[in-house]
Every structure is written in structure tokens, then in C-alpha cells.
């Protein structure tokens, strides 16, 4: 199957309110252009140093929205703010506050998702649920950030039932946060190639798909 055919098939499973984000780490410029030709406008990268040269080569495609989905290192926060429309992987209070300060300095209001470990996972970054609840008052103070939603990545090895339950728990957490804070979350960034159908079932609004669009990557570990 060609990339275009794979995309067509995936799109049949995606309701119109769900944003398909093509994850382009380790993907060639030609393949990215092919996805663009097929109508994809949202692209995600997890490493700044890999993203910058690609963005430079694709700068004529002005209507691309770039999403950052990797772990945010403090010393790269400024560049990431400058080069991405969305940051899905804000995973602790300190980095949120740093982004808030930098965004104020640059007079920009970036779109942010808070990365939450909905299930315990030593191999992932993100807030534990209880920590996130405790940090809400300080996150409310980060007024330069458009805190739009939650992002989650599940641990490996779960059954479909467990995956669905974990995504549903993320939806419940979103509601809880909206009820008990001044934040107004509307986005759920959850679902990857292996579990996006379950994520959509649980209320995902943004799915992040790599392998299923572009094929297998080299297995460089980059979760943590
Ligand atoms: C790599 C990556 C994806 C895409 O994973 P696939 O299984 O290839 O679809 C999604 N989200 C994050 C955070 C990633 O690092």
C-alpha cells in the first residue's frame, strides 16, 4: 500500500473532530511532503535538533502546524516555543512555569497539553495524577500559556480493555480538572498507531500517528 492509501484507510476511522497528527521522527522529507500532498497539515517531532532542519526544508509549506511531543529540556524551551505551534509534552510544573515566563517575554501564547501518567510507568515522563491535581493552582497562574488539554502515553503490554479504561480515565481527569480549577481543557492528545481507535472511542481529539502512516522506524528508544 502507498502512503496515500494508508492515510485514506486511517481517515475512514477518524471522525471529523479528531485531528490527525503525523509523527515524522526519523521520516524523510520526501515522505513528509507526500503526506502534505495528501492533505495532512499537522506534523509532530520529538527532538528539536531533528525538527529544525526539516522545518527549514519545508518552510514553503506555510500552513503546517508543528507539534512538539518529546521530553522538553529546559535549555531548549525557548527554541521549542519559537518553532512549534503546540507543545504536547509539558510534563512538570517547573517547565510549565519556564515556558510561561519565556512566552511572556516573547509575547506569544503557545498551545499546551499537560502530559499525565494516567498509569504508573517508570519509563515515561509526566505528572502523576495526584501531583497534577496538587499543581493546578500554580498552573492557573501560567496565564501566558493556552493550556488546552491533557496528553498521555500508555505503558506497553496492556490489553485492549486496559487501554480503553486508561484512556477513559484520562477523559474523567479532564472533566475533574475543568470542574475544580479555572482551566478549561478541551483537548485530549492520546492514541498512537497501536491504540488510536480505542483512544478515539474514549474521547481523543488529537491522535499522534507515526508507524501506521510512514512504516517502521529504527528502534531508537526515545520515550525516556
Ligand atoms: C513516536 C511517538 C508517537 C507515534 O508512535 P507510533 O506508534 O509510531 O504511531 C506518538 N506519540 C509520541 C509521544 C511519540 O514519541
Amino acid at each position: 500500500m502507498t502512503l496515500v492509501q494508508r492515510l485514506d484507510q486511517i481517515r475512514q476511522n477518524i471522525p471529523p473532530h479528531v485531528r490527525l497528527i503525523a509523527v515524522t521522527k526519523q521520516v524523510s522529507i520526501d515522505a513528509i511532503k507526500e503526506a502534505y500532498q495528501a492533505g495532512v497539515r499537522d506534523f509532530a517531532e520529538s527532538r528539536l535538533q531533528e525538527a529544525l532542519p526539516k522545518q527549514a526544508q519545508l518552510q514553503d509549506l506555510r500552513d503546517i502546524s508543528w507539534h512538539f511531543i518529546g521530553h522538553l529540556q529546559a535549555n531548549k524551551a525557548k527554541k521549542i516555543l519559537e518553532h512549534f505551534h503546540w507543545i504536547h509534552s509539558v510534563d512538570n510544573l517547573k517547565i510549565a512555569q519556564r515556558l510561561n515566563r519565556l512566552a511572556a517575554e516573547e509575547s506569544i501564547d503557545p498551545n499546551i497539553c499537560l502530559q499525565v501518567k494516567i498509569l504508573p510507568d517508570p519509563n515515561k515522563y509526566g505528572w502523576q495524577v495526584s501531583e497534577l491535581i496538587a499543581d493546578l493552582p500554580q498552573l492557573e497562574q501560567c496565564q501566558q500559556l493556552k493550556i488546552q488539554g491533557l496528553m498521555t502515553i500508555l505503558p506497553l503490554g496492556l490489553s485492549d480493555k486496559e487501554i480503553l479504561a486508561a484512556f477513559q480515565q484520562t477523559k474523567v481527569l479532564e472533566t475533574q480538572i475543568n470542574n475544580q480549577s479555572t482551566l478549561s481543557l478541551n483537548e485530549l492528545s492520546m492514541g498512537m498507531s497501536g491504540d488510536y481507535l480505542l483512544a478515539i472511542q474514549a474521547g481523543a481529539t488529537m491522535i499522534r500517528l507515526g508507524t501506521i502512516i510512514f512504516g517502521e522506524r529504527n528502534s531508537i528508544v526515545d520515550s525516556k
Side-chain angles (χ1 to χ4, degrees):
M1 246 198 297
T2 65
L3 190 151
V4 172
Q5 289 168 330
R6 287 197 294 272
L7 266 172
D8 276 347
Q9 208 167 66
I10 295 163
R11 283 192 174 116
Q12 288 172 17
N13 298 322
I14 304 180
H17 68 277
V18 174
R19 198 195 291 227
L20 184 161
I21 301 170
V23 177
T24 53
K25 58 189 185 206
Q26 298 179 44
V27 170
S28 71
I29 291 288
D30 285 345
I32 299 174
K33 283 184 179 162
E34 208 179 327
Y36 181 90
Q37 295 301 339
V40 177
R41 292 295 179 269
D42 291 275
F43 293 91
E45 286 281 338
S46 55
R47 290 163 191 254
L48 179 68
Q49 61 272 35
E50 186 183 337
L52 290 180
K54 286 184 187 166
Q55 291 178 341
Q57 288 184 71
L58 296 167
Q59 62 184 339
D60 291 345
L61 309 180
R62 304 211 57 89
D63 54 351
I64 289 181
S65 287
W66 286 100
H67 299 252
F68 190 79
I69 58 172
H71 177 60
L72 259 137
Q73 290 166 278
N75 62 345
K76 297 189 178 146
K78 185 164 184 276
K79 271 250 155 80
I80 289 169
L81 274 178
E82 289 168 353
H83 288 272
F84 290 85
H85 304 87
W86 281 82
I87 305 177
H88 292 234
S89 43
V90 177
D91 57 17
N92 66 76
L93 181 61
K94 234 173 129 185
I95 196 75
Q97 290 171 329
R98 186 186 187 91
L99 289 169
N100 187 57
R101 193 161 13 92
L102 292 167
E105 282 168 20
E106 308 216 358
S107 302
I108 52 175
D109 49 354
N111 298 300
I112 296 293
C113 292
L114 307 172
Q115 184 174 351
V116 60
K117 277 193 281 200
I118 202 73
L119 298 175
D121 185 347
N123 297 315
K124 294 274 166 8
Y125 290 99
W127 270 277
Q128 313 256 17
V129 172
S130 59
E131 298 167 343
L132 179 57
I133 298 291
D135 285 344
L136 288 175
Q138 283 116 302
L139 287 167
E140 289 174 358
Q141 303 302 312
C142 294
Q143 300 221 348
Q144 195 71 28
L145 305 180
K146 282 199 225 149
I147 302 180
Q148 306 271 26
L150 301 177
M151 187 272 244
T152 198
I153 308 171
L154 301 184
L156 299 173
L158 302 178
S159 69
D160 281 4
K161 208 173 143 193
E162 290 166 328
I163 292 170
L164 181 62
F167 285 145
Q168 287 169 334
Q169 237 172 295
T170 313
K171 177 73 190 172
V172 169
L173 178 63
E174 176 194 46
T175 306
Q176 184 190 345
I177 291 171
N178 286 340
N179 287 339
Q180 73 176 73
S181 75
T182 58
L183 298 183
S184 176
L185 308 181
N186 295 300
E187 301 284 349
L188 286 176
S189 169
M190 56 189 196
M192 306 177 19
S193 292
D195 57 15
Y196 76 97
L197 294 175
L198 295 167
I200 290 171
Q201 201 180 323
T205 61
M206 299 196 277
I207 54 174
R208 309 177 310 269
L209 304 182
T211 312
I212 198 173
I213 299 174
F214 298 109
E216 293 289 339
R217 296 178 294 272
N218 301 328
S219 51
I220 294 172
V221 177
D222 70 354
S223 56
K224 186 165 187 175

